[in-house]
Amino acid sequence: YKKALDKYTDNIQEYELNPYYDSAYNMYKIAFCTYYISDVYKAKNITDNLLSSLDSSNRTDDLYYKVLSLAATLYKETGLVELSRKMFNKILKECSRKKLEREYYTQLRKSDYCLDINFTIPLLLQAKNYFRRVVDYKEYAKTALNLGVDYLYMGNPNNALKHLKDALDSFSSYGSIDILYVYNAYGVYMAMYEQDYKEALSFFQKAYFDEMNGYKKVSVGLNQAMCYMKIGEYDKCLELIDKTADLKERQMNKNVAHYHRSVFIAYAFYYYSQSNFKESLKEFEKCKDYDIKPGQLYLLAHIASEIEHKLGNLSPCIYAPYYDISHDNLFDKYVEEKLMFHTLRFVE
């Protein structure tokens, strides 16, 4: 993505006087690549500027909706959840009305990112069937992966495995680095549904490589750390958390919750495993300054309340109001095992 970004940036000067040069498309690609090298706010600024000059009436292709889609993703990642949801619903309605079939089903493929997964399974199944019908192996694999991940969260390991296998087979059929998403999901399955942390660790290690972006490094790196913690290799666990905490992408994205909340939670569980409950509680409490998803609030409420009890504190923890919040089934297992894993979905 870095090399592609450099090329698209060079295009601005090289082709700006060419009457056939599509500057809007080029800026979309710059925003897209900027997002995928983990410079989230810069990508958001580029996308917002591009949207101000675009509308559906001045394009005959689907670029306008691709830009809207990227904006919806960036709004969700920067905490503007309701705006993201509204934009996503707008894209679906417009693509359906204009009969932009492929873009419509591509949006269904990412519906679980913008909407509650309890409502999106039928949408994803529609998308998977569509991409199978049109023989689009790449989008079929992406959709199958997203379905597999959703079923992991819903506590349905059999359906999760079915769709993850479809994703693995499809990616393997043509060769793609994106197969790392599948390895990461298999790691979560092995850890939480087979209780095999060594096998889970091997999947997470297959999913990690130095060239991937910061978001993935945070997710997969901390997943490895949790496995090391569960098999008793605490030094390696702490080493990986420290390595993740030092990533430059965390400084680039100071207000993007995932880059910080995830590290705090990993430290908290590490300290918990060492019976250092005061430090564990401090790390959990750092999360309050960032957007926290419902399942994570449930997890924090239960573990922090348990720590307060261990410390003999009578006052409820700051997350106590979320003790009974609605959550995905997988978070019950996280509470039992005293850890948290991260999944990856295909969005853009």
Side-chain angles (χ1 to χ4, degrees), residues 2 8 24 28 89 99 110 131 180 195 210 224 237 254 275 294 312 329:
K2 179 64 171 65
Y8 285 120
Y28 162 69
N89 286 328
K99 301 188 186 314
K110 68 175 277 187
F131 291 123
L180 73 89
Q195 298 291 292
D210 290 336
Q224 290 183 47
C237 169
K254 291 183 178 180
S275 299
N329 292 339

Side-chain angles (χ1 to χ4, degrees), residues 244-255:
T244 305
D246 290 338
L247 287 172
K248 68 179 188 300
E249 288 87 352
R250 293 188 76 225
Q251 295 304 312
M252 290 165 54
N253 297 286
K254 291 183 178 180
N255 296 314

